Amino acid sequence: MTIRAVVRGVGHYLPERVVPNAEFEKSLDTSDEWIRSRSGIERRHFAAEGQTTSDLATRAARAALADAGIGASDLDAIVLATSTPDLTFPAAATMVQAALGMEGGFAFDVQAVCAGFIYALANANALIVSGQARRVLVIGAETFSRLMDWEDRSTCVLFGDGAGALVLEAQEGKGIAADRGILAVDLHSDGRFKDILYVDGGVSTGTSGHLRMQGREVFRHAVEKLAATAETALEKLGLSPGEIDWLVPHQANLRIIKGTAQKMGIPLDRVVITVQDHGNTSAASIPLALSIGKERGQIRTGDLLLLEAIGGGLTWGAVILRW
Ligand code: UT7
């Protein structure tokens, strides 16, 4: 018998305020046409004043718990992927735990920037298969609008706020690729690339800082590293890209998504694409795409999904799961 971490519920939350590309034309030397053609982004959501990452995460968590048909007291753990926690500490995950009224178990944050949800899934999977937890709420939630330098047109038009969540549950599998649940994980980081994507603030500076990115450099690494980690994850199962029902990539740039899919030979009609509607929401982008992909009727029980992401660090990785 093999214990598998199986998806029991999914949900998401996007803040009410929608900001179309045209809004940036008023204050920056940019255009809707440039943003669309270079990134595929058409609009994004920004959190209201006072609305924090843990607020967004709690809303997504409630939606996922309702979808799973369970309550917070049925959870053993919460793993929250974020680079924009409400405070330096405590972890935003413990704030979500309190907001949900969960009095037992444990909760912690995972910080791997845009690859955060992949890392969080890897952690939750490890907790479940090792028998330390039976039900884990895995959340990706971000308020990247708080990290933007509004005078830097090369970054501030690309990011958005949002949250998505999955409930994972221990279920028995047969130890084969036909099992439901998380089937393979591949993780990487390379700290030598810190300077191409980072925030110039934090505890050592006394400010929360602004996001700085050498976009062209990150782009160059993205397609190559994403296709490589996805292929490694597939090799662990002896599967080929042709056997994947849905590629669910980190939603940073439509050109990166298309480039990776093309490199792997996966046609675009088998890729879940949501970047046009909420921009790059960092660790929230994959669970948002999963939740929206399910709502659209794209992702169905039994489908084989390949998730992949890259972010600051650099950090990157892939997860294969059967929905
Ligand atoms: O989430 C994981 C991390 N992030 C990513 O995966 C993002 C990776 N990078 C990208 O998505 C792309 O590199 C960008 C969308 C950031 C930029 O696209 P690009 O095709 O690489 O453009 P570029 O940086 O090479 O800039 C081209 C031109 C430059 O002008 P010059 O030097 O050619 O005269 C920029 O100054 O576009 C200019 N530019 C803009 N023009 C209008 C940069 N930002 C803007 C803007 N509006 N908002």
Coordinates of all heavy atoms in Angstrom, one line a residue, residues 45 73 141 309:
H45 N -5.7 42.1 -10.4 CA -6.5 42.5 -9.2 C -5.6 43.0 -8.1 O -4.5 42.5 -7.9 CB -7.3 41.3 -8.6 CG -8.3 40.7 -9.5 ND1 -9.7 40.7 -9.1 CD2 -8.3 40.1 -10.7 CE1 -10.4 40.2 -10.1 NE2 -9.5 39.8 -11.1
S73 N -11.4 22.2 11.6 CA -11.0 21.3 12.7 C -10.6 19.9 12.2 O -10.0 19.1 12.9 CB -12.1 21.2 13.8 OG -13.3 20.8 13.1
A141 N -0.7 32.6 -1.5 CA -1.3 33.9 -1.4 C -0.3 35.0 -1.4 O 0.7 34.9 -0.8 CB -2.1 33.9 -0.1
A309 N 7.0 25.9 -12.0 CA 7.2 27.3 -11.7 C 8.6 27.6 -11.5 O 9.4 26.8 -11.1 CB 6.4 27.6 -10.4

